[in-house]
Amino acid sequence: MKFIETRGNDGQRPTSITFAQAILSPMSSFGGIYSPETLPTFDLDFMQSHIDSGYKKLAKDVLTAFEVDIEESVIDEALSLYDHFDDPQNPVPVVKVYDDLYVSELYHGPTRAFKDMALQPFGTVLSAVAEKRNEKYLILAATSGDTGPAALETFKNRNNVQVACLYPDGGTSDVQRLQMVTEDADNLKVIGIHGDFDDAQSALKTLLTSQAFEASLKEHDISLSAANSVNFGRIIFQTIYHIYSYLELVRQGAIKLGDEVYLNVPSGNFGNALGGYYAYKMGLPVKQIHIASNNNNVLTKFITTGEYDLREASVIATTSPAMDILKSSNIERILFDMFGAERTKELMLQLDSDKFYKITADELAQVKAIFAADFCTDKEGLEYIKQAFEVGYLMCPHTATCFKAYDTCREDKSIKTIAYSTAEWTKFSPVIAYALTGKKYEHDIDALKMIADKAKVDIPAQIAELFDKPIAQETVIDKADIEKGILEFLS
Ligand SMILES: *Cc1c(COP(=O)(O)O)cnc(C)c1O
């Protein structure tokens, strides 16, 4: 399968490239990204034949249908990482919370957040492709807490890839910081910044566009790549669990094969939701995809009014920080899929220059045919966490936003909803403790113990052991020193 450019071709780059090329260099002409030229289709026979296959078998057959140019042995190795999830037979448990609401838990991997679903196999694939070409890559990441740990975990001790990860010192939870600063592999560098997440992110953007930095990397024979969800190497792995979760509902007797469902996705950069959209396009019986946001509600506004408006917007810090995003990168792939490259280029360049675009009424009708959206305030989120706990379900603040969309977006109440849970309670324990008791906990460890006790669950080993691990990454510096810090690490 070929990958083509969302904003058309500039006459300098190739007009289409392979999967391996698209994951090494994810940026395309005019600041665009790569999308598949066509999608494979899966009919009900395909679904029927996978009713009893495990996750890995389903994943392999989906990847094969995408005709990726990756050796089979590499794919097998990548998919074997799901064996390290809590239950290798069922890495994505789907849990019934209400009669018509099922939660698909995407957080049972090593860093306890949904980023592992794609980054675990992606790390193997990217490193293998780089090694085969005898090329070296640097992955730069700025994180508010989930992407960083998952990227470090997947690339640690891998060949031909180094990772430098910036985080705001004091701006993550204790658990998230410990997940990063206890990583001690030689190819990983974790750098705390005096400042907030925006400072880390803008420092990263400055580096990515600095010619001096690029020249210094060249001296070391290193190219830059990206591990965020503009990289299609992540999206491809995010189509699979939507199909798997649907089949799980069939297995549980909640639906019959062919019945339509709602997907309900807590969204930031829209990678997870895009995976659901592709699954729908490939044949999954989906009635509609509900996009849940927090107070950073640009997506709600876009999907309900057709206006993508950043003119007055600035990022609001919420209790669901992984969704504190205004420029949602993967909306571009939806525009491209629905309206083509020329229109996508026009809209995206307008967003760059005017911080605003508006699609036409016809275009909006097309968007609304498959998407609906709503946002959940922090206060509402606390209430949903408490309500769910009362029926025996413990969930994180990102997952809570889905419960609002579940309440407000469904038009046909006879249709079952699959909502996605993107982080384990352990990563956001102070917020959950506050929701359950009204008491503020300053340290994660105290909140973790209280919740574990109240809910009669264990703190998983991956989290509990963090508090005793030695700190391997001590660097905390000013923004001005980041470039120097990274270059020292590379040499
Ligand atoms: C990354 C993340 C999200 C948002 O996912 P997108 O694919 O960027 O929309 C939601 N919740 C958690 C916990 C995350 O880590």
Side-chain angles (χ1 to χ4, degrees):
M1 175 167 306
K2 292 288 185 189
F3 287 79
I4 53 177
E5 302 165 287
T6 51
R7 302 186 193 179
N9 185 258
D10 62 7
Q12 313 284 312
R13 297 169 194 255
T15 50
S16 71
I17 61 174
T18 68
F19 177 74
Q21 289 165 327
I23 67 173
L24 289 173
S25 313
M27 297 310 290
S28 70
S29 303
F30 309 113
I33 49 185
Y34 287 99
S35 274
E37 186 168 29
T38 53
L39 289 169
T41 51
F42 302 115
D43 53 16
L44 289 184
D45 286 343
F46 175 92
M47 312 266 178
Q48 180 66 52
S49 70
H50 284 81
I51 286 282
D52 292 318
S53 11
Y55 196 87
K56 284 194 293 180
K57 166 84 175 119
L58 175 69
K60 179 122 183 232
D61 288 351
V62 171
L63 292 175
T64 307
F66 266 97
E67 296 169 13
V68 294
D69 56 331
I70 304 294
E71 283 165 36
E72 192 177 354
S73 60
V74 173
I75 299 219
D76 288 340
E77 188 194 333
L79 295 178
S80 74
L81 293 170
Y82 292 119
D83 292 340
H84 301 291
F85 281 47
D86 292 338
D87 178 358
Q89 300 311 314
N90 186 21
V92 181
V94 179
V95 178
K96 179 172 169 176
V97 177
Y98 300 131
D99 273 347
D100 58 354
L101 175 64
Y102 288 72
V103 177
S104 169
E105 298 180 343
L106 303 176
Y107 59 73
H108 289 273
T111 73
R112 320 310 288 168
F114 118 92
K115 300 292 187 287
D116 288 332
M117 289 305 304
L119 274 169
Q120 278 288 303
F122 174 75
T124 306
V125 171
L126 186 78
S127 159
V129 171
E131 194 172 3
K132 190 167 168 206
R133 296 172 161 231
N134 210 6
E135 293 170 352
K136 285 191 286 181
Y137 285 85
L138 172 67
I139 302 274
L140 283 180
T143 186
S144 64
D146 280 336
T147 303
L152 295 166
E153 181 65 29
T154 193
F155 287 115
K156 77 175 167 197
N157 297 320
R158 295 235 175 250
N159 295 334
N160 297 54
V161 179
Q162 287 167 289
V163 181
C165 176
L166 311 176
Y167 72 95
D169 185 41
T172 68
S173 73
D174 299 340
V175 165
Q176 290 171 321
R177 182 178 45 84
L178 289 172
Q179 283 182 320
M180 294 186 274
V181 298
T182 56
E183 288 284 15
D184 65 353
D186 286 342
N187 67 329
L188 307 179
K189 178 73 184 173
V190 178
I191 301 177
I193 312 283
H194 298 301
D196 59 18
F197 174 63
D198 282 340
D199 292 321
Q201 175 120 335
S202 67
L204 178 99
K205 286 196 174 142
T206 311
L207 275 186
L208 288 175
T209 52
S210 151
Q211 294 189 342
F213 184 63
E214 203 187 315
S216 314
L217 290 184
K218 268 229 173 81
E219 278 174 32
H220 294 95
D221 254 332
I222 294 174
S223 311
L224 276 173
S225 186
N228 61 16
S229 60
V230 303
N231 197 312
F232 202 84
R234 277 188 47 189
I235 302 296
I236 202 167
F237 290 108
Q238 290 179 192
T239 60
I240 298 156
Y241 53 72
H242 295 287
I243 304 172
Y244 181 85
S245 301
Y246 180 92
L247 292 177
E248 188 58 31
L249 255 61
V250 177
R251 284 190 282 269
Q252 293 183 19
I255 56 171
K256 292 194 308 298
L257 195 70
D259 287 352
E260 288 184 316
V261 295
Y262 290 124
L263 306 181
N264 182 333
V265 189
S267 295
N269 237 343
F270 215 77
N272 194 353
L274 180 72
Y277 175 75
Y278 285 144
Y280 153 74
K281 296 268 302 188
M282 296 188 292
L284 194 70
V286 173
K287 176 76 175 168
Q288 217 177 20
I289 303 173
H290 297 153
I291 302 302
S293 300
N294 60 28
N295 254 329
N296 296 288
N297 57 2
V298 209
L299 288 170
T300 308
K301 190 161 180 208
F302 173 63
I303 289 165
T304 51
T305 70
E307 293 182 7
Y308 205 104
D309 191 355
L310 302 177
R311 286 172 302 188
E312 305 286 314
S314 56
V315 178
I316 303 163
T318 71
T319 51
S320 44
M323 295 157 62
D324 291 351
I325 289 178
L326 296 174
K327 248 186 147 176
S328 187
S329 314
N330 281 300
I331 289 290
E332 178 160 354
R333 289 189 166 112
I334 300 288
L335 298 178
F336 174 71
D337 188 74
M338 290 185 175
F339 315 130
E342 206 174 313
R343 179 70 172 142
T344 303
K345 181 180 170 199
E346 181 181 49
L347 294 170
M348 295 311 296
L349 292 184
Q350 199 189 343
L351 187 64
D352 284 342
S353 61
D354 306 348
K355 297 188 155 201
F356 175 84
Y357 66 74
K358 183 174 168 98
I359 56 177
T360 66
D362 281 353
E363 289 168 339
L364 179 59
Q366 236 175 296
V367 170
K368 281 188 167 177
I370 185 65
F371 293 110
D374 201 358
F375 70 99
C376 177
T377 66
D378 282 356
K379 196 158 166 264
E380 290 168 328
L382 293 174
E383 201 48 45
Y384 282 116
I385 290 172
K386 202 167 154 202
Q387 277 172 19
F389 189 76
E390 278 159 14
V391 297
Y393 194 66
L394 186 55
M395 69 180 172
C396 93
H398 303 77
T399 313
T401 65
C402 294
F403 282 59
K404 172 77 181 288
Y406 163 79
D407 274 346
T408 60
C409 294
R410 287 171 305 145
E411 279 186 355
D412 183 343
K413 301 266 156 93
S414 70
I415 292 179
K416 304 267 195 276
T417 293
I418 302 174
Y420 292 91
S421 179
T422 47
E424 190 175 57
W425 62 276
T426 54
K427 292 198 84 168
F428 300 93
S429 56
V431 179
I432 296 161
Y434 183 66
L436 301 185
T437 65
K439 229 178 107 190
K440 297 227 163 164
Y441 285 77
E442 203 177 319
H443 299 291
D444 284 26
I445 188 69
D446 300 325
L448 284 166
K449 285 183 177 152
M450 187 285 286
I451 298 167
D453 192 45
K454 199 172 164 72
K456 302 193 174 48
V457 292
D458 291 330
I459 302 172
Q462 296 97 323
I463 299 293
E465 69 197 14
L466 285 174
F467 294 90
D468 301 321
K469 269 195 185 166
I471 306 292
Q473 306 268 358
E474 312 248 22
T475 311
V476 179
I477 54 180
D478 282 328
K479 278 188 292 180
D481 298 326
I482 293 173
E483 179 166 350
K484 198 168 130 242
I486 293 177
L487 290 174
E488 272 169 17
F489 154 63
L490 295 176
S491 50

